[in-house]
Amino acid sequence: MNWRPLKSLLTLACIALCISMFAQEQFNIEEAVQYAVENSAQTKINALELAKAEAQIKEYRATGLPQVNGTIDYQHFINLPTSLLPAEFFGGAPGTFAEVQFGLKNSVNAGASLNTLLFDGSFFTGLKAQRIYKDLIYKQANQSEYQIKKSVTQAYLGVVIAQRNKRILEKNIENLEKTLNETTIIYENGFAEKLDVSRLQLSFDNLNTELQRVERLINLSKNLLKFQMNYPLEMPIILTESLDDLADKVFLKPIDLDAPIDISNRPEYSVIQVGEQLNDLNIEALRRGYYPSLVGFASAQTALQRNNLFDEDEPGFFPTTIVGLSLSVPIWDSFSRSAKIQQAKVDQEITQVEKAEFERAVNLEVYNARLSYENAMNSVGSSKRAETLAREIYQTAQIKFQEGVGSSLELTQAEQNLYNAQANYATALYDLVVAKSDLDLALGQ
C-alpha cells in the first residue's frame, strides 16, 4: 500500500494547524479587544440572557392566546353511595326511611375546554414592555463590551510598557558591559582605580537585577491580559504592537478637544433611556388595570355510566357542551392600584435624577480626560527633550572617562540621569496612550 499521499495530507494538516495556532497567538490591541468580546464569559451570559428574554416574550404572548386543555376521568364505585329517603314515598310507614342507591358502578368522563383572552387593557402594554426589556438586555450587553474593552486595553498597555522598559534595560546593559570590560582592562594595566571598576560593576549588577524584575512583571502582565481576554493561560501570546506603535497612532490622529460632547454615544445612556421607557409602560399598564377584562370560554364533555363498561346494551355516552363569556370589572381595591401607580411615578422621578447625574458625571469625565490628554502630550515632548539631553551628557561623560579626564563618579551620575530620563519618557508615552484610551472611552468611542 502506498502511504505517501496519506503522509502528504498529514503534513499539510499539521502545517495548517501550526499556522492557525501561530496566527491565534498574535494580537494587536484591537484584535485583543475583539477576541475578549467574542470569548468573554460575560458575552456568553449576555447571549443567554437575550435568549431568555425572547422566551419570556413568547411566554407572555401565550397568556393572551387560546388555551386548550383536555381531561379524562374514570371512577369505579366498589360501594355505591347510599341515600335515605322517606319510606312513605315507596309505600312504607310514615316516619321511617328507605335506603336507596343512585348511579352505576362505572363512570367515564372525557372533555376539552378552551379559554381565550378577548380583552385586557394591560395585556398589550405588557407585551410591549417585554419587547423593550429584551432591548434593555441588548443595551446592557453593549455596556458589558464597553467594560471589556476598558479592561483589556489597560492590561495590554501594562504589557507593552514593561516590554519597552526591558528593551531599554537590555540596551543599557549591553553598553555598560562594554564600558565595564574596557575599564577593567585599563585597571589591570594600572591606569584606573579599583573604585572605578567597582562602581561600574555595581551599576551593571543593579541593571541585571532590574531586568529580572521587569521580565517577571512582563509574565505577570501577560497573565492578567490573558485572563481579561479569556485566553488560555497555558498558551503563549504575542503582542504585535509596541508602546511606540500605539503612541504613533495617537500622534497621527489629531483630536478636537473643543468638539461638543454627545452623551448618547455612551452605552450606559441607552440603558437609562430604556429604563425610562419601562417606567412609562409600567405606569400605563397599572392605569389600564382599571379597565374590565373579558375572557371567552367553551367546553365539551361526554359521560358514560355503566355497571359493565363493555355491555353495549347499557346506556351510551351523554354529551354536554358549554360556551360563554366572563367579564371581570374592577370596582374597589381600597386604593391599592393607586398606591402602585404612585410608587411607579417615584421610580420614574428617580430615573430622571439618575439620568441628570449621569450626564454631569460624563461631562466631568470627558473634561478631565481631555485635560489629561493635553498634559500627556506636553509631557511627552518635554520628556523626549530631557532624554535626548541626558543621552548627550552621558555620551560626553563616557568619552571623558575613557580619555582619562573624567571620573567614574561623573560617569555613574550621568548614567543614572540617563536611566531616569529614559524611564520618564517611557512613562510619558504610556500616560499618553492611556489618556487617549480614557478619552475615547469617556466619549463612548
Side-chain angles (χ1 to χ4, degrees):
M1 182 176 180
N2 188 3
W3 294 93
R4 184 171 299 174
L6 181 59
K7 290 181 179 179
S8 299
L9 289 174
L10 290 174
T11 302
L12 290 174
C14 291
I15 293 174
L17 179 62
C18 291
I19 292 174
S20 175
M21 292 178 62
F22 183 72
Q24 193 177 14
E25 293 173 0
Q26 302 185 72
F27 298 93
N28 60 29
I29 194 166
E30 289 83 7
E31 292 168 344
V33 170
Q34 186 60 34
Y35 182 94
V37 169
E38 293 174 356
N39 295 275
S40 169
Q42 187 59 49
T43 301
K44 297 175 183 177
I45 292 173
N46 291 337
L48 294 173
E49 290 289 349
L50 283 172
K52 180 180 178 182
E54 185 65 36
Q56 288 175 337
I57 292 175
K58 293 179 180 178
E59 177 189 10
Y60 186 82
R61 185 190 299 121
T63 61
L65 299 176
Q67 311 288 320
V68 179
N69 295 290
T71 60
I72 297 178
D73 295 326
Y74 168 72
Q75 291 180 330
H76 174 72
F77 292 93
I78 298 176
N79 295 302
L80 290 173
T82 300
S83 300
L84 297 177
L85 296 177
E88 57 186 309
F89 289 172
F90 306 100
T96 62
F97 295 91
E99 297 179 358
V100 295
Q101 292 180 326
F102 295 97
L104 302 174
K105 287 187 174 294
N106 296 291
S107 174
V108 177
N109 293 281
S113 63
L114 179 144
N115 292 275
T116 184
L117 182 66
L118 299 178
F119 176 79
D120 188 325
S122 62
F123 172 75
F124 292 102
T125 303
L127 186 60
K128 185 177 180 181
Q130 288 290 329
R131 295 194 181 100
I132 293 180
Y133 174 72
K134 180 184 175 182
D135 187 46
L136 174 64
I137 299 297
Y138 179 76
K139 301 294 186 184
Q140 289 175 339
N142 290 338
Q143 186 176 348
S144 297
E145 290 184 11
Y146 173 85
Q147 296 298 330
I148 291 171
K149 178 181 179 181
K150 182 176 182 179
S151 300
V152 173
T153 299
Q154 291 175 346
Y156 196 100
L157 294 178
V159 177
V160 294
I161 187 174
Q163 290 177 333
R164 191 182 195 280
N165 288 335
K166 179 184 176 182
R167 290 192 297 270
I168 292 173
L169 285 170
E170 289 174 339
K171 185 176 181 181
N172 290 337
I173 288 173
E174 180 183 354
N175 293 334
L176 186 57
E177 185 178 16
K178 180 179 179 182
T179 303
L180 176 60
N181 292 334
E182 292 175 352
T183 305
T184 301
I185 295 174
I186 295 173
Y187 165 71
E188 290 173 350
N189 292 327
F191 295 101
E193 297 180 1
K194 174 66 175 176
L195 182 60
D196 297 334
V197 178
S198 298
R199 283 175 175 166
L200 292 175
Q201 184 65 51
L202 178 61
S203 297
F204 182 77
D205 293 341
N206 289 338
L207 286 181
N208 278 287
T209 301
E210 181 65 15
L211 178 61
Q212 294 173 6
R213 187 192 70 82
V214 170
E215 287 175 342
R216 290 191 295 270
L217 178 60
I218 290 175
N219 291 331
L220 291 173
S221 300
K222 281 188 174 182
N223 286 338
L224 176 59
L225 176 60
K226 291 177 185 178
F227 176 79
Q228 298 291 359
M229 293 172 58
N230 203 24
Y231 185 84
L233 293 176
E234 67 278 3
M235 288 184 62
I237 186 170
I238 299 173
L239 308 190
T240 58
E241 286 184 306
S242 66
L243 182 61
D244 296 87
D245 295 331
L246 296 173
D248 289 340
K249 286 184 178 181
V250 177
F251 294 133
L252 294 174
K253 188 177 180 181
I255 298 177
D256 183 7
L257 298 178
D258 297 321
I261 301 173
D262 187 359
I263 299 180
S264 63
N265 289 331
R266 289 288 293 262
E268 303 99 317
Y269 191 74
S270 60
V271 172
I272 295 175
Q273 288 179 317
V274 174
E276 287 181 315
Q277 296 178 37
L278 288 175
N279 284 334
D280 293 340
L281 287 174
N282 185 31
I283 294 174
E284 180 182 342
L286 289 170
R287 285 174 174 167
R288 293 197 174 203
Y290 288 116
Y291 298 168
S293 62
L294 181 64
V295 175
F297 61 88
S299 67
Q301 183 175 350
T302 183
L304 174 67
Q305 293 184 349
R306 290 177 178 176
N307 284 321
N308 186 347
L309 285 177
F310 306 103
D311 187 354
E312 297 295 336
D313 295 331
E314 294 191 38
F317 289 92
F318 298 96
T320 302
T321 305
I322 301 173
V323 294
L325 298 172
S326 176
L327 179 67
S328 176
V329 182
I331 298 177
W332 177 253
D333 64 359
S334 298
F335 303 106
S336 173
R337 191 173 299 275
S338 176
K340 292 179 181 179
I341 293 174
Q342 187 62 35
Q343 293 177 56
K345 288 182 177 180
V346 171
D347 290 337
Q348 193 177 45
E349 293 178 5
I350 291 174
T351 301
Q352 291 296 325
V353 173
E354 291 175 344
K355 180 180 178 181
E357 188 64 18
F358 176 75
E359 291 175 353
R360 290 180 62 251
V362 170
N363 285 322
L364 176 62
E365 185 179 354
V366 172
Y367 176 80
N368 289 340
R370 286 175 172 174
L371 187 60
S372 296
Y373 174 80
E374 192 173 13
N375 291 337
M377 286 290 288
N378 295 332
S379 179
V380 167
S382 60
S383 298
K384 180 60 178 176
R385 290 190 296 272
E387 185 200 31
T388 302
L389 182 60
R391 188 180 301 279
E392 292 174 355
I393 293 173
Y394 173 73
Q395 291 172 347
T396 301
Q398 195 175 32
I399 294 172
K400 289 174 62 179
F401 178 75
Q402 291 171 349
E403 293 178 352
V405 294
S407 66
S408 61
L409 179 60
E410 181 183 4
L411 177 61
T412 302
Q413 290 176 340
E415 172 194 322
Q416 190 61 46
N417 291 334
L418 175 61
Y419 297 160
N420 291 335
Q422 290 172 333
N424 291 337
Y425 180 58
T427 301
L429 288 178
Y430 173 79
D431 290 341
L432 174 63
V433 177
V434 169
K436 175 60 168 60
S437 174
D438 289 344
L439 179 56
D440 288 342
L441 290 171
L443 293 171
Q445 299 175 353

